[in-house]
Amino acid sequence: QVQLVESGGGVVERGGSLRLSCTVSGFILRNFGMHWVRQAPGKGLEWVAFLRYDGRDELYADSVKGRFTISRDESNSELFLQMNSLTRDDTGVYYCAREGRGYSNFFEYWGQGALVTVSS
Amino acid sequence: SYVLTQSPSVSVAPGQTARIPCGGDNIATKTVQWYQQKPGQAPVLVIYYDSDRPSGIPERFSASNSGHTATLTIGRVEAGDEADYYCHVWDNSNDHHVFGGGTKLTVL
């Protein structure tokens, strides 16, 4: 059974840093592309970052490029999102999501989300 | 950058058919996904590759993609279908994923 569980959310001051974790089970990280998607309070979904199945390619939304870094620890089945230079616009629920099989480019499984609040 | 446009809301009576459009420039040249999100919950994939349903998604959920509009159709709508629905594409022109703004489906 595929499961994704995010952790590491919380309140951080503007300009600060935070690292989110996503612990997965039921599949092997190196076999699937992984993403982070976020949702500001009362707003829609926004794709944030992607890590290719082999770990050799990363992609980022323009709004986070240069500030956020996606990575993984295969041995512990964890996906990470390192977030630096946080602003109020980064406040929201962050979901990790797994792609479907192959180069599927869609989000088949989602975690329950981790809330990040950037305070002034 | 590529833009997907969704109406903010759609209302339908129980038992009727709901149609939720998603507009995009030549969207028919892209593959479209649809996600259902109920309040306080994570999104759930209901349609991928324009019209395929993941296992566990009822046959009442179907979709099409033509010209500049993709459409999610929900037949015999139930109270439990009330949710926000988001369309999504992969924009290979700039290697970005794009979501529509979402449509809130209200079951009257």
Side-chain angles (χ1 to χ4, degrees):
Chain A
Q1 182 182 358
V2 172
Q3 287 190 318
L4 301 87
V5 179
E6 299 92 339
S7 60
V11 180
V12 59
E13 287 191 353
R14 188 170 51 189
S17 299
L18 203 62
R19 189 176 83 155
L20 300 180
S21 297
C22 172
T23 302
V24 308
S25 58
F27 68 97
I28 299 172
L29 271 179
R30 68 173 178 269
N31 290 339
F32 292 91
M34 296 294 297
H35 299 260
W36 288 95
V37 177
R38 69 184 180 183
Q39 187 169 35
K43 302 297 184 182
L45 301 173
E46 179 189 15
W47 171 76
V48 172
F50 161 72
L51 182 64
R52 203 168 76 174
Y53 69 96
D54 59 4
R56 294 185 177 182
D57 192 21
E58 304 166 26
L59 296 172
Y60 298 92
D62 294 344
S63 58
V64 307
K65 196 168 187 177
R67 300 188 299 122
F68 289 13
T69 303
I70 188 171
S71 62
R72 71 187 183 190
D73 178 351
E74 290 183 40
S75 62
N76 288 310
S77 297
E78 285 187 287
L79 179 76
F80 302 108
L81 185 67
Q82 177 67 43
M83 304 183 292
N84 299 330
S85 303
L86 287 162
T87 73
R88 295 283 299 272
D89 289 342
D90 297 315
T91 292
V93 175
Y94 285 71
Y95 298 99
C96 63
R98 196 204 84 175
E99 288 191 342
R101 297 189 181 278
Y103 293 99
S104 59
N105 281 326
F106 61 83
F107 314 115
E108 186 175 15
Y109 292 96
W110 298 67
Q112 86 288 349
L115 177 61
V116 173
T117 303
V118 182
S119 67
S120 56
Chain B
S1 59
Y2 195 77
V3 175
L4 293 174
T5 301
Q6 294 186 249
S7 302
S9 63
V10 166
S11 299
V12 64
Q16 300 303 302
T17 298
R19 293 179 178 84
I20 299 174
C22 172
D25 186 35
N26 288 318
I27 194 173
T29 63
K30 303 182 183 303
T31 55
V32 179
Q33 279 67 235
W34 292 91
Y35 303 87
Q36 175 194 69
Q37 186 180 35
K38 297 181 179 179
Q41 298 184 19
V44 172
L45 178 70
V46 295
I47 294 287
Y48 65 100
Y49 291 165
D50 290 341
S51 59
D52 289 344
R53 272 178 294 103
S55 60
I57 300 301
E59 292 183 5
R60 302 185 296 105
F61 287 79
S62 63
S64 62
N65 185 12
S66 177
H68 301 290
T69 304
T71 303
L72 173 68
T73 301
I74 308 172
R76 300 183 305 280
V77 167
E78 304 171 356
D81 298 330
E82 194 163 274
D84 293 325
Y85 290 86
Y86 294 91
C87 56
H88 155 245
V89 301
W90 161 247
D91 179 16
N92 58 4
S93 68
N94 69 347
D95 286 348
H96 277 36
H97 289 268
V98 180
F99 287 98
T103 295
K104 180 176 180 59
L105 174 66
T106 298
V107 181
L108 301 171

